[in-house]
Amino acid sequence: MTLDRWLSRIPLESPSVFVKLIPTLVGFVIALGLSLIPGVVADHIPLFVGFSVTVMVGAVLLATLVPWTRFGAGWSVIVPLVAMMSIGLMRIGTGGSTSSIGVILLLPFVWIATEEGRRNIVIAALGIFLVLLGPIVVAHTPTSPADLIRAFFSPVIYAIVAAVVNEIAHRSRAQLAATRAAAQQREELLEQAVRTQDELVLNEARLKTANRLIQSIWNAVTEQSVIGTDLDGVIDVWNPGAEKMLGLTEKQVLGANRKVIEFHLVSELEDRLRDMDARFTTVAGMDDFSALVDTVRAGYADVRDWTYVRADGKQVPVQVAATPRLDENGHRVGFIFVATDMTQAREFARLKDEFVGLISHELRTPLSSILGYLELMRDDDESPLSAEQLQYLGVAERNAHRLLRLVGDLLFTAQVESGRFPIDITDAELRSVVAASIETATPVAATAGVALVSDVPDEPVEVRGDTVRLGQAVDNLVSNALKFTPAGGTVTVSLRRDGDEAVVAVTDTGIGIPAVELSQLSQRFFRASTATRNAVPGVGLGLTITKAIVTAHGGRLDIASEEGVGTSFSLRLPLETPRPVAEAVPGAETTA
């Protein structure tokens, strides 16, 4: 084995006890060789030299055979103490206090002084004191005062040196530990940086893949227009669907600082602002934009029918879902408008209305005939029916009347969609209308276990309108309230004057309606999710008919609801003579 390979196996960072003994052992061997040369040592005592060699051999055996790692670190100083004793015996055998061999005492002394712990300062100084005192104890000749002074004074100097060496070693160890810790920390940081770099590369690849996917999806949305704006309505997002629907490219819109209200009918924005009781101004800006996002600003999504105006002036009926745009902190930074072209849907609805109107007319005649023959059977005195037959006849009559009412509702909604339905404008007294509705609904309320409360003033409240149609509207509201109120709840029907309006309010403590669905309640056949979830019967025509009747009388229908708390419908009619919105058809048949 070469010297370099041998030295490479020495654990320099944490040397073993034998490795630490090697410098002392080398110095001892050199001193022993010098002592055997004739004339080099003046006073040679072979016995002490032999003892010295034996003790050093014992030190070597202790260093190599004893597993010092199993003991505490402080016990390893036994080996340098034994070596120091061996050197002391060598010193006695080679001239005592005058021997030059004593200089190698520094090697085990420094070894002890550099070990961790302040006690090693005392151990090193005490070992030196015993070794220096040895020649005086075993001397055959009188000891001089100088030898005594040297024997007691030298350990003090050695103790000071040991303290300095111990402190330097302590600081060196602390600095080495800090350096190792810093190196380990740098290594950990480097490993972490490598891992982070790998994660960044992976995340970047994932992000590119996600961006490609999102871009593909974005480009594939061509049937819906997606328009994004900032808080002021300036467009900053324009998808291919918007380009197809409105006839403008992304560059034409985003680079021109255009606003979303530019693609809306001004008349629809004005109507919406009036419905919001907002003050309309002729200045295009936030007032117009508020018509689109007022509900969204309140914290709800808004789905509403609008009309878009293309770049070529063509109008496109659309259904727009407006939602907020949020940043990473959840703060609103703009709005998103997703529009669906309703041209085909409107055409289908028109064809459906024509079909419904045709079928309704065709169904009325046979139903009326059925009811007529049923009445003849009931009134036939020559062949009277039995009690059981009368019971069956009653079931048939009730179902026939129910079908006739449904046919009437379908026919009425078809007339509403066409812009023409029959109303007969006369002087109408609302107290009697409300009282009749309450009287009709009282048995239903009692059966359902719902308290029906009337709050009607003593003085008359008169409007210009169709008494039958107004009664139909109030009946619909009261019937709905009873259906959606569980047993033990309350339905309150009130009538009051509010400025130049008469207000009929129907308030219940029922299941309520989700806020996002309030704007859709007047759509035909629409039913709230709370209604379908609770299996409340109905076809979704009552509110459509009610709103049409109120609108025809120049009034409006206000709705307020909270899911799980209840709903309030307010039917507002002008006290002065209105100009009907729908055209009255004199002498037309009234459908109940």
Side-chain angles (χ1 to χ4, degrees), residues 91-353:
R91 183 169 176 267
I92 294 173
T94 56
S97 59
T98 61
S99 174
S100 60
I101 302 300
V103 70
I104 62 175
L105 285 171
L106 289 174
L107 297 175
F109 170 78
V110 172
W111 177 0
I112 298 173
T114 55
E115 291 294 318
E116 185 68 29
R118 302 301 183 186
R119 65 177 183 176
N120 291 316
I121 299 174
V122 178
I123 293 174
L126 183 61
I128 286 293
F129 174 71
L130 293 176
V131 170
L132 294 179
L133 190 63
I136 298 175
V137 174
V138 299
H140 301 290
T141 58
T143 302
S144 66
D147 291 336
L148 291 175
I149 293 174
R150 186 164 50 252
F152 286 94
F153 179 70
S154 295
V156 176
I157 302 301
Y158 273 100
I160 296 173
V161 173
V164 174
V165 171
N166 186 271
E167 179 63 23
I168 294 174
H170 173 73
R171 293 187 179 184
S172 298
R173 276 189 294 269
Q175 185 175 3
L176 178 62
T179 303
R180 288 176 177 174
Q184 183 178 0
Q185 186 177 10
R186 285 195 301 270
E187 184 177 354
E188 291 175 354
L189 290 175
L190 180 60
E191 292 177 356
Q192 184 177 359
V194 172
R195 289 195 301 269
T196 303
Q197 179 66 23
D198 294 340
E199 291 177 359
L200 287 175
V201 172
L202 180 60
N203 290 336
E204 184 179 2
R206 290 175 177 172
L207 182 60
K208 289 180 179 178
T209 302
N211 286 336
R212 286 194 296 268
L213 177 60
I214 292 173
Q215 189 64 40
S216 299
I217 296 174
W218 181 257
N219 293 331
V221 180
T222 57
E223 298 304 316
Q224 280 76 35
S225 163
V226 181
I227 301 175
T229 72
D230 60 13
L231 294 174
D232 297 327
V234 178
I235 298 173
D236 53 14
V237 174
W238 188 266
N239 82 320
E243 180 176 340
K244 177 182 176 181
M245 184 178 294
L246 295 170
L248 292 174
T249 64
E250 182 179 9
K251 292 182 179 180
Q252 289 175 312
V253 175
L254 301 188
N257 198 34
R258 304 191 67 166
K259 295 188 175 182
V260 69
I261 58 173
E262 298 177 22
F263 302 98
H264 281 261
L265 283 178
V266 176
S267 58
E268 289 185 345
L269 297 176
E270 293 177 1
D271 291 341
R272 173 60 180 157
L273 289 171
R274 291 193 184 98
D275 289 341
M276 293 162 45
D277 288 333
R279 182 179 180 182
F280 179 76
T281 64
T282 57
V283 179
M286 286 304 296
D287 284 343
D288 292 334
F289 187 54
S290 296
L292 302 179
V293 298
D294 182 70
T295 303
V296 182
R297 286 172 178 166
Y300 306 103
D302 183 57
V303 180
R304 199 177 300 275
D305 289 336
W306 296 97
T307 301
Y308 274 175
V309 181
R310 287 174 48 89
D312 57 8
K314 181 181 177 182
Q315 296 183 2
V316 182
V318 291
Q319 185 180 72
V320 180
T323 56
R325 291 172 63 186
L326 306 178
D327 61 11
E328 62 276 7
N329 298 319
H331 299 146
R332 187 172 65 237
V333 295
F335 304 93
I336 291 289
F337 302 92
V338 180
T340 303
D341 190 341
M342 301 298 291
T343 303
Q344 291 186 351
R346 297 285 175 84
E347 179 63 18
F348 292 154
R350 186 187 65 80
L351 295 174
K352 183 174 63 175
D353 290 339

